[in-house]
């Protein structure tokens, strides 16, 4: 039987390394697995975890997916203008607040984008920025008289605070935490005719983005699962109360929650109408450490062996692609194929060269490939301008598609 490594190398034999690939068979299997865990809720695709318009379109054409969760407003405008009315461009939620006044004015002056893009807000300061942009577009004569209002979404703090704000489990995001605070912000939106309340987002990062089965730490894993369970119970009640309070003020088109690591729990909440996910499509190695699901590595990069400095060691070209987050060894890519390679403690993953150690090194010759997995999903695409699509089911090379960077776009 042909091994996965042999299939990858046969499909890419004409390519010069370093290069990045996406295994479409694994990508589609991961997409289907995410929908099975979503309890019938549609999944909004997090573009930061994909960063390739062709693959965004591929997943949005699959059953169970609807809409994009963008990470910046300029990105959202680009997606909307590049696919007007299409699966990528018709419903885009910007997941983070923006202070980009130029982009806000462009949005305010573009009726088509106004019908597709929803902004994230968590305070009246954000509302002021949007209102000023609308006024500026009006003064410039750039905004049609029949332009629809700017759609906004309230971002809700989902952290678990069992002993009050001094003990916080979760990310530092929104200051809006209670039903009363959310309702007050909703009323502030309604007082501005240039704005329209569109939805609520409440992303539970402490559950969705933290693996509950850390390798070699079983006791910590048990504690983590208990904390995540209690956090999920508290959040489900508070999220439902927030949604009720806001709906007493204004209707909502959507309530977004969840992430790759929490689809199976958040999807059960009646208050949630849609889920967000993206990392699970590529399944980077950060997502290997969950007890509730498994995925297939779909996005990899190949490095060429350029040196054999000693027995049990080879040196690959490049590879120093750390991920964002806390500065720890988990942020480094991991050698995937051939199995059994590890980093040198003295050098790690290097800017221009990466020594790799282990018995498997003695099976590699100059020019052979080492297949690596990035820690986080879309950040791989900031290192490569092209993704080579292959299919491990057939062993075929499919085609090359540009990443955002390959299209000359770098939004963060």
């Amino acid at each position: 039987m042909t091994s996965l490594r042999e299939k990858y190398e046969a499909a890419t034999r004409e390519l010069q390394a370093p290069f990045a690939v996406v295994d479409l068979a694994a990508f589609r299997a991961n997409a289907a697995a995410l929908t099975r865990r979503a309890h019938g809720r549609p999944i909004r695709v997090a573009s930061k975890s994909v960063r390739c318009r062709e693959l965004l379109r591929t997943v949005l054409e699959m059953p169970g997916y609807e809409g994009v969760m963008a990470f910046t407003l300029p990105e959202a405008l680009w997606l909307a203008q590049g696919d007007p009315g299409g699966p990528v461009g018709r419903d885009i939620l910007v997941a983070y607040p923006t202070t980009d006044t130029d982009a806000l004015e462009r949005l305010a002056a573009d009726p088509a984008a106004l019908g597709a893009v929803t902004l994230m807000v968590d305070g009246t300061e954000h509302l002021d920025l949007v209102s000023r942009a609308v006024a500026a577009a009006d003064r410039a004569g750039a905004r049609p008289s029949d332009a629809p209002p700017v759609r906004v979404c309230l971002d809700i703090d989902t952290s678990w605070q069992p002993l009050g704000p001094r003990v916080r489990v979760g990310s530092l995001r929104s200051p809006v935490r209670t039903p009363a605070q959310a309702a007050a912000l909703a009323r502030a939106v309604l007082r501005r005719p240039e704005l329209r309340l569109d939805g609520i987002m409440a992303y539970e990062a402490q559950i969705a983005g933290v693996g509950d089965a850390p390798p070699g730490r079983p006791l910590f894993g048990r504690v983590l699962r208990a904390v995540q369970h209690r956090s999920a119970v508290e959040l489900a009640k508070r999220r439902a109360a927030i949604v009720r309070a806001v709906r007493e003020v204004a209707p909502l088109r959507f309530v977004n929650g969840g992430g790759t690591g929490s689809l199976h729990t958040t999807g059960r909440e009646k208050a949630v109408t849609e889920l967000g996910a993206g990392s699970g499509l590529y399944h980077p190695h950060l997502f290997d450490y969950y007890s509730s699901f498994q995925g297939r590595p779909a996005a990899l990069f190949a490095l060429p062996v350029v040196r054999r400095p000693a027995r049990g060691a080879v040196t690959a070209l490049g590879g120093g692609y750390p991920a964002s987050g806390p500065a720890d060894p988990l942020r480094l890519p991991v050698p995937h194929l051939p199995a059994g390679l590890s980093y040198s403690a003295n050098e790690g993953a290097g800017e221009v060269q990466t020594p790799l150690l282990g018995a498997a090194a003695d099976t590699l010759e100059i020019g052979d490939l080492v297949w690596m997995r990035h820690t986080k999903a879309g950040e791989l695409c900031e290192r490569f301008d092209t993704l080579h699509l292959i299919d491990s089911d057939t062993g075929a090379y499919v085609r090359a598609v540009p990443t955002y960077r390959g299209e000359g776009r770098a939004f963060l």
Side-chain angles (χ1 to χ4, degrees), residues 125-152:
E125 302 93 336
H126 299 139
L127 304 185
D128 291 341
L129 279 167
V130 181
S131 294
R132 286 198 293 268
V134 171
D138 282 336
R139 288 194 301 270
R143 182 175 166 84
S145 59
D146 60 349
V150 179
R151 305 189 309 192
V152 299

Side-chain angles (χ1 to χ4, degrees), residues 152-218:
V152 299
C153 173
L154 310 185
D155 193 3
I156 306 301
D157 173 42
T158 64
S159 65
W160 185 45
Q161 299 180 12
L163 301 177
R166 291 186 178 181
V167 179
R168 181 190 188 97
V169 179
S171 60
L172 291 162
R173 292 174 67 102
S174 170
V176 180
R177 178 171 179 81
T178 68
Q181 290 171 329
L185 186 55
R187 285 191 290 270
V189 174
L190 292 189
R191 287 194 290 269
R192 302 170 189 243
E194 69 276 14
L195 306 183
R196 187 180 84 196
L197 183 60
D198 198 27
I200 288 174
M201 186 181 81
Y203 168 60
E204 59 275 15
Q206 71 275 17
I207 305 171
V210 179
D212 64 356
R217 304 175 71 188

Side-chain angles (χ1 to χ4, degrees), residues 46 59 64 77 92 133-134 148 166 226 286 289 295 303 313 337 341 354 363 396:
V59 70
L77 294 173
I92 306 171
V134 171
R166 291 186 178 181
L286 190 65
Y289 312 118
L303 303 177
L337 297 172
L341 294 173
T354 296
T363 70

Side-chain angles (χ1 to χ4, degrees), residues 44-263:
R44 185 182 291 273
V45 182
S47 64
K48 77 176 184 65
S49 300
V50 180
R51 303 195 199 201
C52 169
R53 289 201 291 181
E54 181 64 23
L55 288 175
L56 285 173
R57 187 173 297 109
T58 296
V59 70
L60 285 167
E61 289 173 347
M62 297 181 66
Y65 291 87
E66 184 63 41
V68 171
M69 183 180 289
F71 53 98
T72 71
L73 177 55
E75 177 209 12
L77 294 173
W78 179 62
L79 293 175
Q81 291 159 1
D83 189 29
V88 176
R90 65 171 163 254
D91 184 1
I92 306 171
L93 171 63
V94 182
Y96 304 88
T98 184
T99 60
D100 189 329
T101 54
D102 290 343
L104 285 169
E105 289 182 28
R106 292 201 305 273
L107 172 65
D110 186 341
L114 287 168
V117 175
T118 301
L119 300 178
M120 192 63 61
V121 299
D122 62 32
T124 55
E125 302 93 336
H126 299 139
L127 304 185
D128 291 341
L129 279 167
V130 181
S131 294
R132 286 198 293 268
V134 171
D138 282 336
R139 288 194 301 270
R143 182 175 166 84
S145 59
D146 60 349
V150 179
R151 305 189 309 192
V152 299
C153 173
L154 310 185
D155 193 3
I156 306 301
D157 173 42
T158 64
S159 65
W160 185 45
Q161 299 180 12
L163 301 177
R166 291 186 178 181
V167 179
R168 181 190 188 97
V169 179
S171 60
L172 291 162
R173 292 174 67 102
S174 170
V176 180
R177 178 171 179 81
T178 68
Q181 290 171 329
L185 186 55
R187 285 191 290 270
V189 174
L190 292 189
R191 287 194 290 269
R192 302 170 189 243
E194 69 276 14
L195 306 183
R196 187 180 84 196
L197 183 60
D198 198 27
I200 288 174
M201 186 181 81
Y203 168 60
E204 59 275 15
Q206 71 275 17
I207 305 171
V210 179
D212 64 356
R217 304 175 71 188
L219 181 59
F220 178 71
R222 289 178 62 186
V223 173
L224 184 56
R225 287 190 289 276
V227 168
Q228 289 179 331
H229 173 72
R230 293 189 179 188
S231 176
V233 170
E234 183 276 333
L235 178 59
K237 295 176 182 178
R238 182 161 53 90
R239 183 155 40 198
I242 288 170
V243 171
R244 286 195 299 270
V246 172
R247 282 196 164 130
E248 289 178 359
V249 176
L252 295 169
R253 183 171 67 95
F254 65 87
V255 176
N256 181 280
T260 289
S262 63
L263 295 179

Side-chain angles (χ1 to χ4, degrees), residues 12 18 36 53 67 96 110 120 132 139 145 183 252 287 297 305 312 324 330 379 407 409:
T12 60
R36 287 194 295 271
R53 289 201 291 181
Y96 304 88
D110 186 341
M120 192 63 61
R132 286 198 293 268
R139 288 194 301 270
S145 59
L252 295 169
F287 286 82
V305 172
S324 61
L330 191 61
E379 291 183 13
E407 295 197 68
R409 304 286 176 162

